[in-house]
Amino acid sequence: MRVTETNTYRDLHFPSLIIGGSFAAVAICVSVFSILQHLRFYTNPAEQKWIVSVLFMVPVYAAESIISLSNSKFSLPCDILRNCYEAFALYSFGSYLVACLGGERRVVEFLENESKKPLLERGDNERKKKKNSFWKFLCDPYVLGRELFVIEKFGLVQYMILKTFCAFLTFLLELLGVYGDGEFKWYYGYPYIVVVLNFSQMWALFCLVQFYNVTHERLKEIKPLAKFISFKAIVFATWWQGFGIALLCYYGILPKEGRFQNGLQDFLICIEMAIAAVAHIFVFPAEPYHYIPISECGKITSETSKTEVKLDEGGLVEKTETHVEASGTSIKESVQDIVIDGGQHVVKDVVLTINQAMGPVEKGVTKIQDTIHQKLLDSDGKEETEVTEEVTVETSVPPKE
């Protein structure tokens, strides 16, 4: 059986490498072109820094998948790097939606206003949705206002933290020989990490869906549904795809050889990234950032063209057209803004999320300490009372004659 599985991998490896490499090359070229367009016309940093981060996920996935497919020894390191960037891309997508709404302050103000609206003013569609209990549980948030925004951010950042932590934990367990990739056995770390990541991922998606359900009307101009579907198809579909392949290999439907399992996942990702790269051209276009209102741009360039139109009566009419275009920035300046400003934003949110998570823990520890301290005081008080009673009894007993 082992010989047959090895032969299957050997027979399919070279053709899959050629086909997967071709798709990966297309994905990288198309994505790099789209990224360069945004960097060249970097007129709205608040939004475009996160768009570039999301778009960069395609070349990262494609490059790491083809490297892993060409040499199975690099499979685990590439998978770790891919998982780390996947978590950051999910955070970037959520930050992009917030930026499109005008920033965190305006989002909080909008959610506060939504929380103050009477139920009858929230539209017939919302009342129809509430008739379906499953839809209500999935999409309708239980709280609005600032609390919803805090929950949404916490859900995204916790996934970024846990995904990165589990990626490095996977590397450590693999070095110790107890990871067991694709093995659903209790003495391996793989099933436990899968459960943790699955819970964290579904929580992040749940928070993002609820946030989208409240704000999708305000996001109509950017066509949020197409962006939401295209991004989720990469992040969550690829993860469940890998999980499904592991199950099929575990039950013997596909060859159980580890190289075959990882190779199939990498091959499929190469094809999917080419499709995603083409879709991103239409979903995250750079054209809207070529022209912006004059009030939002400090330096503009205008182009005036004059043409003569001949009338039927024989006369000539001069037609003038003026285009106002936002001046582009250098790619170097755009990258610096993305790395520095975006990095500071990420660090701030990570620290805030850790503090929020540690708050209940500290309260719980403090409560336990107070309870123990109170019990110790009560026990000391009882001992003192008993000693006092014994002394009183001894002094009250008359001496024998």
Side-chain angles (χ1 to χ4, degrees), residues 338-397:
I338 293 173
V339 174
I340 297 175
D341 189 64
Q344 292 175 349
H345 198 280
V346 172
V347 171
K348 182 185 72 174
D349 284 345
V350 169
V351 172
L352 179 62
T353 301
I354 293 176
N355 291 334
Q356 289 175 343
M358 292 301 295
V361 176
E362 291 177 353
K363 290 181 180 179
V365 172
T366 303
K367 188 175 181 179
I368 293 173
Q369 290 177 345
D370 292 341
T371 303
I372 295 174
H373 181 67
Q374 186 64 38
K375 288 184 177 180
L376 291 175
L377 291 177
D378 294 341
S379 62
D380 292 340
K382 289 181 180 178
E383 291 178 357
E384 292 177 358
T385 303
E386 292 176 356
V387 171
T388 304
E389 291 177 353
E390 291 177 359
V391 172
T392 305
V393 170
E394 290 179 357
T395 55
S396 61
V397 175

Coordinates of all heavy atoms in Angstrom, one line a residue, residues 338-397:
I338 N 2.1 52.3 4.3 CA 1.4 51.0 4.7 C 2.1 50.3 5.8 O 1.5 49.9 6.8 CB 1.4 50.1 3.4 CG1 0.5 50.7 2.4 CG2 0.9 48.7 3.8 CD1 0.5 50.0 1.1
V339 N 3.5 50.2 5.7 CA 4.2 49.5 6.7 C 4.2 50.2 8.1 O 3.9 49.6 9.1 CB 5.7 49.3 6.3 CG1 6.5 48.7 7.4 CG2 5.7 48.4 5.0
I340 N 4.5 51.5 8.1 CA 4.6 52.3 9.3 C 3.3 52.5 10.0 O 3.0 52.1 11.1 CB 5.4 53.6 9.1 CG1 6.8 53.3 8.6 CG2 5.4 54.4 10.4 CD1 7.6 54.6 8.3
D341 N 2.4 53.2 9.2 CA 1.1 53.5 9.8 C 0.2 52.3 10.1 O -0.4 52.2 11.1 CB 0.4 54.5 8.9 CG -0.9 55.1 9.5 OD1 -0.8 55.8 10.5 OD2 -2.0 54.7 9.0
G342 N 0.2 51.4 9.1 CA -0.5 50.1 9.3 C 0.0 49.3 10.4 O -0.7 48.7 11.2
G343 N 1.4 49.2 10.6 CA 2.0 48.5 11.7 C 1.6 49.1 13.0 O 1.3 48.3 14.0
Q344 N 1.6 50.4 13.1 CA 1.2 51.0 14.4 C -0.2 50.7 14.7 O -0.6 50.5 15.9 CB 1.4 52.5 14.3 CG 2.9 52.9 14.2 CD 3.1 54.4 14.0 OE1 2.1 55.1 13.7 NE2 4.3 54.9 14.1
H345 N -1.1 50.7 13.7 CA -2.5 50.4 13.9 C -2.7 49.0 14.4 O -3.5 48.8 15.4 CB -3.3 50.6 12.6 CG -4.7 50.8 12.8 ND1 -5.6 49.7 12.9 CD2 -5.5 51.9 12.8 CE1 -6.8 50.1 13.0 NE2 -6.8 51.5 12.9
V346 N -2.0 48.1 13.9 CA -2.1 46.7 14.3 C -1.6 46.5 15.7 O -2.3 45.8 16.5 CB -1.3 45.8 13.3 CG1 -1.2 44.3 13.9 CG2 -1.9 45.8 11.9
V347 N -0.4 47.1 16.0 CA 0.1 46.9 17.4 C -0.9 47.5 18.4 O -1.1 46.9 19.5 CB 1.5 47.6 17.5 CG1 1.9 47.7 18.9 CG2 2.5 46.9 16.6
K348 N -1.5 48.7 18.1 CA -2.4 49.3 19.0 C -3.6 48.4 19.3 O -4.0 48.2 20.4 CB -2.9 50.7 18.5 CG -3.8 51.4 19.4 CD -4.3 52.7 18.7 CE -5.3 52.4 17.6 NZ -5.9 53.6 17.1
D349 N -4.2 47.8 18.2 CA -5.3 47.0 18.4 C -5.0 45.7 19.1 O -5.8 45.1 19.9 CB -6.0 46.7 17.0 CG -6.7 47.8 16.5 OD1 -7.0 48.8 17.2 OD2 -7.0 47.8 15.3
V350 N -3.8 45.1 18.9 CA -3.4 43.9 19.5 C -3.3 44.1 21.0 O -3.7 43.4 21.9 CB -2.1 43.4 19.0 CG1 -1.5 42.2 19.8 CG2 -2.3 42.8 17.5
V351 N -2.6 45.3 21.4 CA -2.4 45.6 22.8 C -3.8 45.8 23.5 O -4.1 45.4 24.6 CB -1.5 46.8 23.0 CG1 -1.5 47.3 24.4 CG2 -0.1 46.5 22.5
L352 N -4.7 46.5 22.8 CA -6.0 46.8 23.3 C -6.8 45.5 23.5 O -7.5 45.3 24.5 CB -6.8 47.7 22.4 CG -8.2 48.1 22.8 CD1 -8.2 48.8 24.1 CD2 -8.9 48.9 21.7
T353 N -6.7 44.6 22.6 CA -7.4 43.3 22.7 C -6.9 42.5 23.8 O -7.6 41.8 24.6 CB -7.3 42.5 21.3 OG1 -7.9 43.3 20.3 CG2 -8.1 41.2 21.4
I354 N -5.6 42.4 24.0 CA -5.0 41.7 25.1 C -5.4 42.2 26.4 O -5.7 41.5 27.3 CB -3.4 41.7 24.9 CG1 -3.0 40.9 23.7 CG2 -2.8 41.1 26.2 CD1 -1.5 40.9 23.4
N355 N -5.4 43.6 26.5 CA -5.9 44.2 27.8 C -7.4 43.9 28.0 O -7.7 43.6 29.2 CB -5.7 45.7 27.7 CG -4.2 46.1 27.7 OD1 -3.4 45.4 28.2 ND2 -3.9 47.3 27.1
Q356 N -8.2 43.8 27.0 CA -9.6 43.5 27.2 C -9.8 42.1 27.6 O -10.6 41.7 28.4 CB -10.4 43.7 25.9 CG -10.5 45.2 25.5 CD -11.2 45.4 24.1 OE1 -11.2 44.5 23.3 NE2 -11.7 46.6 23.9
A357 N -8.9 41.2 27.0 CA -9.0 39.8 27.4 C -8.5 39.5 28.8 O -9.0 38.7 29.6 CB -8.2 38.9 26.4
M358 N -7.5 40.3 29.2 CA -6.9 40.1 30.6 C -7.7 40.8 31.7 O -7.6 40.4 32.8 CB -5.5 40.8 30.6 CG -4.5 40.0 29.7 SD -4.3 38.3 30.2 CE -3.6 38.5 31.9
G359 N -8.6 41.7 31.3 CA -9.4 42.4 32.3 C -10.3 41.4 33.1 O -10.2 41.3 34.3
P360 N -11.1 40.6 32.4 CA -12.0 39.6 33.2 C -11.1 38.6 33.9 O -11.5 38.1 35.0 CB -12.8 38.9 32.1 CG -12.8 39.9 30.9 CD -11.5 40.6 31.0
V361 N -9.9 38.2 33.4 CA -9.1 37.3 34.1 C -8.5 37.9 35.4 O -8.5 37.2 36.4 CB -7.9 36.9 33.1 CG1 -6.9 36.0 33.9 CG2 -8.4 36.1 31.9
E362 N -8.1 39.1 35.3 CA -7.6 39.8 36.5 C -8.7 39.9 37.5 O -8.5 39.8 38.7 CB -7.1 41.2 36.1 CG -5.8 41.1 35.3 CD -5.3 42.5 34.9 OE1 -6.0 43.5 35.1 OE2 -4.2 42.6 34.3
K363 N -9.9 40.2 37.1 CA -11.1 40.4 38.0 C -11.3 39.0 38.7 O -11.6 38.9 39.9 CB -12.3 40.9 37.3 CG -12.2 42.3 36.9 CD -13.5 42.7 36.2 CE -13.4 44.2 35.7 NZ -14.7 44.6 35.0
G364 N -11.3 37.9 37.9 CA -11.5 36.6 38.4 C -10.5 36.2 39.4 O -10.8 35.7 40.5
V365 N -9.2 36.5 39.1 CA -8.1 36.2 40.0 C -8.2 37.0 41.3 O -8.1 36.5 42.4 CB -6.7 36.4 39.4 CG1 -5.6 36.3 40.4 CG2 -6.5 35.5 38.2
T366 N -8.6 38.3 41.2 CA -8.8 39.1 42.3 C -9.9 38.6 43.2 O -9.8 38.6 44.5 CB -9.0 40.6 41.9 OG1 -8.0 41.0 41.1 CG2 -9.2 41.5 43.1
K367 N -11.0 38.2 42.6 CA -12.1 37.6 43.3 C -11.8 36.4 44.1 O -12.1 36.2 45.2 CB -13.3 37.4 42.4 CG -14.6 37.0 43.1 CD -15.7 36.9 42.1 CE -17.0 36.6 42.8 NZ -18.2 36.5 41.9
I368 N -11.0 35.5 43.4 CA -10.5 34.3 44.1 C -9.6 34.6 45.3 O -9.8 34.0 46.3 CB -9.8 33.4 43.0 CG1 -10.8 32.9 42.0 CG2 -9.1 32.2 43.8 CD1 -10.1 32.1 40.9
Q369 N -8.7 35.5 45.1 CA -7.8 35.9 46.1 C -8.6 36.5 47.3 O -8.3 36.2 48.5 CB -6.8 36.9 45.6 CG -5.8 36.3 44.7 CD -4.8 37.4 44.1 OE1 -5.1 38.6 44.2 NE2 -3.7 36.9 43.6
D370 N -9.6 37.3 47.0 CA -10.4 37.9 48.1 C -11.2 36.8 48.8 O -11.3 36.9 50.1 CB -11.4 38.9 47.5 CG -10.7 40.2 47.0 OD1 -9.5 40.4 47.4 OD2 -11.3 40.9 46.1
T371 N -11.7 35.9 48.1 CA -12.4 34.8 48.7 C -11.5 34.0 49.6 O -11.9 33.6 50.8 CB -13.0 33.9 47.6 OG1 -13.9 34.6 46.8 CG2 -13.9 32.8 48.3
I372 N -10.3 33.6 49.2 CA -9.4 32.9 50.0 C -9.0 33.7 51.2 O -8.9 33.1 52.3 CB -8.2 32.5 49.1 CG1 -8.6 31.5 48.0 CG2 -7.1 31.8 50.0 CD1 -7.4 31.2 47.1
H373 N -8.7 35.0 51.0 CA -8.3 35.8 52.1 C -9.4 35.9 53.1 O -9.2 35.9 54.4 CB -8.0 37.2 51.6 CG -7.5 38.2 52.7 ND1 -6.4 38.0 53.4 CD2 -8.1 39.3 53.1 CE1 -6.2 39.0 54.2 NE2 -7.3 39.8 54.1
Q374 N -10.7 36.0 52.7 CA -11.8 36.1 53.6 C -12.0 34.8 54.4 O -12.3 34.8 55.6 CB -13.1 36.4 52.8 CG -14.3 36.7 53.7 CD -14.2 37.9 54.5 OE1 -13.6 38.9 54.1 NE2 -14.7 37.9 55.8
K375 N -11.8 33.7 53.7 CA -11.9 32.4 54.4 C -10.8 32.2 55.5 O -11.0 31.7 56.5 CB -11.8 31.2 53.4 CG -13.1 31.1 52.6 CD -13.0 29.9 51.6 CE -14.3 29.7 50.8 NZ -14.2 28.5 49.9
L376 N -9.6 32.7 55.1 CA -8.5 32.7 56.1 C -8.8 33.5 57.3 O -8.5 33.2 58.4 CB -7.2 33.1 55.4 CG -6.6 32.2 54.4 CD1 -5.4 32.8 53.7 CD2 -6.2 30.8 55.0
L377 N -9.4 34.7 57.0 CA -9.7 35.6 58.1 C -10.8 35.0 59.0 O -10.8 35.0 60.2 CB -10.2 37.0 57.6 CG -9.2 37.9 57.0 CD1 -9.8 39.1 56.4 CD2 -8.1 38.2 58.0
D378 N -11.8 34.3 58.3 CA -12.9 33.7 59.1 C -12.3 32.5 60.0 O -12.7 32.4 61.1 CB -13.9 33.1 58.1 CG -14.7 34.3 57.4 OD1 -14.6 35.4 57.9 OD2 -15.3 34.0 56.4
S379 N -11.4 31.8 59.4 CA -10.8 30.6 60.1 C -10.0 31.2 61.3 O -10.0 30.6 62.4 CB -10.0 29.8 59.2 OG -8.9 30.5 58.7
D380 N -9.2 32.2 61.1 CA -8.4 32.8 62.2 C -9.4 33.4 63.3 O -9.1 33.2 64.5 CB -7.6 34.0 61.7 CG -6.4 33.4 60.8 OD1 -6.1 32.2 60.8 OD2 -5.9 34.2 60.0
G381 N -10.5 34.0 62.9 CA -11.4 34.5 63.8 C -12.0 33.4 64.7 O -12.2 33.5 65.9
K382 N -12.3 32.2 64.0 CA -12.9 31.1 64.7 C -11.9 30.5 65.8 O -12.2 30.2 66.9 CB -13.3 30.0 63.8 CG -14.6 30.4 62.9 CD -14.9 29.2 62.0 CE -16.2 29.6 61.2 NZ -16.5 28.5 60.3
E383 N -10.6 30.4 65.3 CA -9.6 29.9 66.2 C -9.4 30.9 67.4 O -9.3 30.4 68.6 CB -8.3 29.8 65.5 CG -8.3 28.7 64.4 CD -6.9 28.7 63.7 OE1 -6.1 29.5 64.0 OE2 -6.8 27.8 62.8
E384 N -9.4 32.2 67.2 CA -9.3 33.1 68.3 C -10.5 33.0 69.2 O -10.4 33.0 70.5 CB -9.2 34.5 67.8 CG -7.9 34.8 67.0 CD -7.9 36.2 66.5 OE1 -8.9 36.9 66.7 OE2 -6.8 36.6 65.9
T385 N -11.7 32.8 68.7 CA -12.9 32.6 69.5 C -12.8 31.4 70.4 O -13.2 31.4 71.6 CB -14.2 32.6 68.6 OG1 -14.2 33.7 67.8 CG2 -15.4 32.5 69.4
E386 N -12.3 30.3 69.7 CA -12.2 29.0 70.5 C -11.2 29.2 71.6 O -11.4 28.7 72.7 CB -11.8 27.9 69.5 CG -12.9 27.5 68.5 CD -12.4 26.5 67.6 OE1 -11.2 26.1 67.6 OE2 -13.2 26.0 66.7
V387 N -10.1 29.8 71.3 CA -9.1 30.0 72.4 C -9.6 30.9 73.5 O -9.4 30.6 74.7 CB -7.8 30.7 71.8 CG1 -6.8 31.1 72.9 CG2 -7.1 29.8 70.8
T388 N -10.4 31.9 73.2 CA -11.0 32.8 74.2 C -12.0 32.0 75.1 O -12.0 32.2 76.3 CB -11.7 34.0 73.5 OG1 -10.8 34.7 72.7 CG2 -12.3 34.9 74.6
E389 N -12.8 31.1 74.4 CA -13.7 30.3 75.2 C -13.0 29.4 76.1 O -13.5 29.2 77.2 CB -14.6 29.6 74.2 CG -15.6 30.5 73.4 CD -16.4 29.7 72.4 OE1 -16.1 28.5 72.2 OE2 -17.3 30.2 71.8
E390 N -11.9 28.8 75.6 CA -11.2 27.9 76.5 C -10.6 28.6 77.7 O -10.6 28.1 78.8 CB -10.0 27.2 75.7 CG -10.5 26.2 74.6 CD -9.4 25.6 73.8 OE1 -8.2 26.0 74.1 OE2 -9.6 24.8 72.9
V391 N -10.1 29.8 77.5 CA -9.5 30.5 78.6 C -10.6 30.9 79.6 O -10.5 30.9 80.8 CB -8.8 31.8 78.1 CG1 -8.4 32.7 79.2 CG2 -7.6 31.4 77.2
T392 N -11.8 31.3 79.1 CA -12.9 31.6 79.9 C -13.4 30.5 80.8 O -13.6 30.6 81.9 CB -14.1 32.2 79.0 OG1 -13.6 33.2 78.2 CG2 -15.2 32.6 79.9
V393 N -13.4 29.3 80.1 CA -13.8 28.1 80.8 C -12.8 27.8 81.9 O -13.2 27.4 83.1 CB -14.0 26.9 79.9 CG1 -14.2 25.6 80.6 CG2 -15.1 27.1 78.9
E394 N -11.5 27.9 81.6 CA -10.5 27.5 82.6 C -10.6 28.5 83.8 O -10.4 28.1 85.0 CB -9.1 27.6 82.0 CG -8.9 26.5 81.0 CD -7.5 26.5 80.3 OE1 -6.8 27.5 80.6 OE2 -7.2 25.7 79.5
T395 N -10.8 29.7 83.6 CA -10.8 30.7 84.7 C -12.1 30.6 85.5 O -12.2 31.0 86.6 CB -10.7 32.1 84.1 OG1 -11.8 32.3 83.1 CG2 -9.4 32.4 83.4
S396 N -13.2 30.1 84.9 CA -14.4 30.0 85.6 C -14.5 28.7 86.5 O -15.4 28.6 87.3 CB -15.6 30.0 84.6 OG -15.5 28.9 83.7
V397 N -13.6 27.7 86.3 CA -13.7 26.5 87.1 C -13.0 26.8 88.4 O -11.9 27.3 88.5 CB -12.9 25.4 86.4 CG1 -12.8 24.1 87.3 CG2 -13.6 25.0 85.1

